[in-house]
Structures are given as structure tokens and as C-alpha cells.
Amino acid sequence: MQIDGTVALVTGAAQGLGGAAARALGDRGARVALLDLPSDRLDAHAEDMGGLACPADVTDEAAVAAAVARAADHFGAGPRIAVNCAGIGPAARIVGREGKLSVDLFRRVIEVNLTGSYIVMSHAARAMQALDPTATGERGVIVNTASVAFEDGQLGQAAYAASKGAIAAMALPAAREFARAGIRVVNIAPGLFHTPMMEGLPPETVEGIAANIPFPARLGDPSEYALLACQIVENPYLNGTTIRLDGAVRMPPR
């Protein structure tokens, strides 16, 4: 699908992977709606790149529906591209010290990472189905964000890995469901990237993490995630799969 001139909706778009994806799509001529929790950072990023700030919580279905409708009204057309990057990654053992459980954390991670992605995908797909097909028969492309943790979950990542594994599992059935409408669904499973989750770690910790990455032996840059998201949009035969973007890393148990 051609990016130039299309409407794109990106979640988690204030910073990190989502911020880079929004920027890359905008640089290629897309009209971008940036969805994230309300913040000055979201407003500034949207203004800087000429996009539309759509403050919303991805777990709030009414807010997501309103954001999709606002984007369509502002740009004169619904989104043909949706990139789901909103997510959280707290870590906790299933049974911690002194028998403390992490059920509440599990529920929260599933709600944000999995249910939030499902809500956005649902409303974006419904909007795409109402659009006329392009010359290639496409109506839209949905890119969801899994993680290498869906295969290589580390100790303390049971909730995060479960949420990302479910996203990976959704790709094929969603792609099959939306095929008749000409909507593709593809997941990116990033490895270790320079994101706000990593920025709070000491430099020596980051160096130790990067040492386990075969090549390139460094953390990924969000622009590389954004590049793959754009390539997925532009390649019409990518559908129903999860692509690891990880420098060939395989995460150790801890």
C-alpha cells in the first residue's frame, strides 16, 4: 500500500517505538493521528510533525472510538494504516517473596497490551472496511506490536510474555477474517530497543544487555522499528505473521 496521502493512526505515539513510527509515516507523506495518554509530550510531538494529537487510553473503548472518528473527521477519511505500539512492561514473579502473588499486575498488563491492541484493531478495521479499495484491492494495514518475549520470556515476564504471545496468536485469525475486506494484519516482535523502558537503566546494565545481541551488537533504534512498519505497509504480500526484529538475540532465562 502506498503511504503518501493515506491516513494513519499510531498508538503509543508520544515517544519510543510509536513516536518513531508516527514520524516515519509522516515523513513518507501520511496524515498521522497520534494516540497516547494525554501529555505535553504528545501535543509537542504531534505539532512538530504536523499530525493530530488524539489523547486517549487504549483500554477505554469509547475514547478509542472517538479518536478514530476524530481522525476521520479531521483528515476527511478514515485510517488505512493502524500501528499499535501502546504498552507497558512491568515485571513480577508469579509467586514472589513471602508468597506474594501478582494477579493484579497480570490483569493490568493484559488489559493494556492485549485488550488495548484488540480495541484499537477492532475500531480501525471497522473504519477501514468502510473505505473504497485501492487499485491493488487493499483497504488497510494493521501492524500490532508483539515482543521477542512471546517466545523468549524471561523470569518475571510471565504477564508481559502472555500479553505479547496472545498478540502474536491473533495475527493469523485476524488476517483471515479481514482478508475479504482487503485488510492485512502483521505483527512486529521487537527485541531490545532504546525506549523509555531502557533509558532508566544504568549504562553498564545496558552494555551487558547489548553484549548478548549477536549482530548488530547494540540495542535497536526506534527508527528501525519504524522502518519495518513502513515496509510492512508497502509490501502487499506480508500478511498474517509475526516478524522478529532483534539482531538475532535469544533472551536468556534472566
Side-chain angles (χ1 to χ4, degrees), residues 10 28 47 58 64 143 170 184 187 213:
V10 181
R28 288 162 174 78
E47 182 178 359
V58 293
V64 171
V143 179
M170 284 197 304
R184 295 184 287 116
N187 296 330
I213 302 172

Side-chain angles (χ1 to χ4, degrees), residues 175-220:
R176 286 171 165 170
E177 177 180 341
F178 299 143
R180 182 174 296 182
I183 299 168
R184 295 184 287 116
V185 182
V186 180
N187 296 330
I188 299 175
L192 301 163
F193 273 69
H194 274 294
T195 64
M197 290 183 191
M198 285 286 186
E199 287 169 3
L201 297 176
E204 60 272 18
T205 302
V206 175
E207 290 174 7
I209 292 171
N212 290 321
I213 302 172
F215 185 80
R218 58 170 174 79
L219 299 184

